[in-house]
């Protein structure tokens, strides 16, 4: 059991941090966040069992009937090159309606050698554009910890 616990611990992935969101007048939303530098270095190491790292961006909005609508978008991980400083991860999403309220959160999705399926992190803190009236207790929201976003 001890060996299994050590192997499982080596396959844990942390949640993205410092999620920020901006919306342009045309509606394009840009999300940026930082990710665990150690995992990015492990991804660049060919002898490490971490084989793939991507992110899932969860977009939530309120439907006409007041229910939560959720979409998940796939985002490739930006890897580090030798000697490069850690940069932000980012994702651009077109088609968001200016003035409509949205909530966003991001989680990591890792793939390890010898492990059947992907390993997911927890979602980042949720950030919002506009005023949401969503009842997060009745949906898959992560709760009331929201951060107001800027529009540019």
């Amino acid at each position: 059991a001890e060996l299994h616990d050590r192997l499982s611990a080596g396959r844990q992935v942390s949640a993205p941090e410092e999620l920020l969101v901006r919306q342009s007048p045309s509606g394009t939303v840009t999300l940026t966040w930082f990710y665990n530098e150690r995992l990015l270095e492990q991804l660049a190491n060919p002898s490490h069992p971490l084989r793939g790292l991507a992110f899932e961006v969860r977009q939530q909005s309120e439907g006409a009937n007041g229910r939560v609508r959720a979409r998940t978008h796939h985002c490739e991980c930006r890897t580090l090159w030798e000697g490069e400083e850690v940069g932000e991860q980012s994702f651009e999403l077109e088609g968001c309606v200016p003035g409509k309220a949205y909530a966003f959160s991001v989680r990591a999705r890792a793939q390890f050698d010898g492990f059947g399926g992907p390993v997911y992190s927890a979602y980042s803190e949720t950030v919002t554009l506009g005023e949401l009236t969503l009842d997060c207790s009745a949906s898959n929201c992560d709760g009331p910890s929201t951060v107001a976003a800027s529009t540019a």
Side-chain angles (χ1 to χ4, degrees), residues 1-11:
E2 185 179 315
L3 176 61
H4 181 270
D5 291 344
R6 282 200 320 245
L7 290 173
S8 295
R11 291 190 180 99

Side-chain angles (χ1 to χ4, degrees), residues 44-67:
N45 179 352
S47 64
H48 194 275
L50 178 60
R51 288 291 160 246
L53 186 61
F55 298 98
E56 291 184 354
V57 175
R58 181 172 60 185
Q59 170 192 351
Q60 296 174 304
S61 61
E62 217 172 320
N65 59 4
R67 289 192 163 165

Side-chain angles (χ1 to χ4, degrees), residues 12-141:
Q12 291 178 347
V13 291
S14 55
E17 299 174 346
E18 298 182 40
L19 179 62
L20 298 175
V21 62
R22 294 186 316 276
Q23 185 174 30
S24 72
S26 68
T28 300
V29 171
T30 302
L31 295 116
T32 58
W33 63 92
F34 288 102
Y35 196 64
N36 185 323
E37 295 91 358
R38 196 183 91 231
L39 282 173
L40 294 174
E41 290 167 357
Q42 291 171 351
L43 182 61
N45 179 352
S47 64
H48 194 275
L50 178 60
R51 288 291 160 246
L53 186 61
F55 298 98
E56 291 184 354
V57 175
R58 181 172 60 185
Q59 170 192 351
Q60 296 174 304
S61 61
E62 217 172 320
N65 59 4
R67 289 192 163 165
V68 176
R69 289 186 177 165
R71 290 185 176 95
T72 302
H73 307 278
H74 180 81
C75 175
E76 290 298 322
C77 176
R78 182 178 172 271
T79 57
L80 294 175
W81 297 98
E82 187 67 35
E84 184 181 19
E85 289 198 23
V86 176
E88 292 179 315
Q89 301 291 326
S90 65
F91 182 72
E92 282 196 358
L93 180 63
E94 295 181 3
C96 291
V97 178
K100 183 173 179 173
Y102 295 94
F104 298 94
S105 54
V106 180
R107 71 176 176 178
R109 179 184 189 274
Q111 189 69 46
F112 292 90
D113 272 349
F115 199 72
V119 177
Y120 293 93
S121 74
Y123 276 99
S124 67
E125 67 181 340
T126 300
V127 296
T128 60
L129 279 174
E131 292 293 321
L132 285 174
T133 59
L134 300 174
D135 177 9
C136 290
S137 63
S139 72
N140 58 354
C141 289

